[in-house]
Amino acid sequence: MESVTGVELSLYRHGVTKENLEKVYIGWTDVEVAEEGIELLKRTKRFRPEADRIISSDLKRCVQSADFLFPHDKKIYHKGLREIHFGSWEGKKADELSKREDFSMWLENPQEMRPENGESFAEFSQRIEAAWDMIREWCYQDGIEKIAVVSHGGPIRQLLTALAPEKKSFWDWKPLHGQGMTLYWADREAFRRGERCTSLSAVPITERSNG
């Protein structure tokens, strides 16, 4: 039997950083949002949906982004929502790593190859799944109907792969810095069971026109 009320989940990727623009692998490296990122977050804030619970990765670029998006709301920080850990590759540019055989092998098969001293794709996936299972049940038990998650490209791709109404591979999803996507479940029991959402839409960054 379907429940009367639905659940809305908005996923926001943090604002772009200087390291993102320079194509540096940052993973768990704690860096700040760049000025360009702040400007887009401010635009996203103007038209984003309201949220009853805001959960963010605990890394600075997400904490800052959550503060720009929801300046007057309480936030909860969750380490499980961090980006994949790139290990010894953290802080290095792609062109610098391109000379390494293990990096080339990882680019060819990232779901099977592990970054040196980093996190495998399986470990990353299990971490994101565990974090989402906890968040989902917690929000369900508290009767939360509007949820916002501020995280990184990898975790958002993983959540969209599992929850979007249309099945796509991990790499087919392209979450944009400073922007969001909203997933909606018409039936909150389906949400609790971890089923795919009913609909998916982009969070607007400009005012919608009529017609």
Side-chain angles (χ1 to χ4, degrees):
M1 181 178 177
E2 288 195 358
S3 56
V4 176
T5 57
V7 179
E8 188 176 271
L9 167 68
S10 294
L11 302 173
Y12 299 92
R13 188 176 184 183
H14 64 80
V16 73
T17 69
K18 179 174 71 73
E19 291 76 12
N20 292 144
L21 295 171
E22 295 173 351
K23 301 189 185 308
V24 173
Y25 283 83
I26 47 179
W28 285 24
T29 304
D30 212 7
V31 298
E32 297 186 350
V33 175
E35 284 299 320
E36 300 94 318
I38 293 171
E39 289 305 311
L40 182 52
L41 286 165
K42 288 178 178 177
R43 288 169 59 193
T44 301
K45 173 185 174 293
R46 291 182 61 198
F47 306 107
R48 56 134 179 90
E50 294 299 316
D52 302 318
R53 181 162 290 167
I54 301 145
I55 306 149
S56 169
S57 159
D58 65 335
L59 293 178
K60 190 180 298 179
R61 55 195 183 271
C62 289
V63 172
Q64 290 178 321
S65 298
D67 284 340
F68 281 113
L69 290 168
F70 301 93
H72 306 298
D73 298 279
K74 177 184 176 182
K75 292 92 177 173
I76 297 149
Y77 306 107
H78 197 313
K79 186 177 179 179
L81 293 172
R82 288 185 179 191
E83 183 59 276
I84 193 168
H85 195 320
F86 290 111
S88 300
W89 302 349
E90 299 256 339
K92 294 182 169 61
K93 292 186 178 182
D95 57 359
E96 180 183 352
L97 291 167
S98 64
K99 304 176 181 65
R100 297 180 52 140
E101 183 180 359
D102 59 347
F103 180 71
S104 298
M105 293 172 65
W106 178 78
L107 287 178
E108 291 177 7
N109 193 1
Q111 293 179 317
E112 296 298 329
M113 293 295 297
R114 176 199 296 269
E116 182 186 1
N117 299 317
E119 194 174 24
S120 72
F121 189 84
E123 290 166 340
F124 160 77
S125 300
Q126 289 164 9
R127 169 167 61 80
I128 300 303
E129 182 180 353
W132 173 241
D133 285 348
M134 187 279 288
I135 291 167
R136 185 181 69 241
E137 182 63 20
W138 177 43
C139 290
Y140 175 88
Q141 292 291 346
D142 288 351
I144 301 296
E145 296 177 6
K146 294 180 181 293
I147 309 160
V149 167
V150 183
S151 188
H152 310 261
I156 292 173
R157 281 191 175 101
Q158 188 69 11
L159 291 171
L160 289 169
T161 301
L163 301 174
E166 179 185 0
K167 289 185 179 181
K168 290 185 183 180
S169 72
F170 179 88
W171 297 108
D172 284 337
W173 292 106
K174 310 292 183 186
L176 300 175
H177 286 108
Q179 298 186 48
M181 303 185 80
T182 298
L183 296 79
Y184 176 74
W185 286 260
D187 177 14
R188 68 189 305 266
E189 294 300 328
F191 166 79
R192 186 188 195 187
R193 292 191 296 269
E195 296 179 8
R196 291 184 177 274
C197 66
T198 310
S199 63
L200 172 68
S201 59
V203 174
I205 57 172
T206 58
E207 190 171 8
R208 296 185 188 275
S209 59
N210 294 327

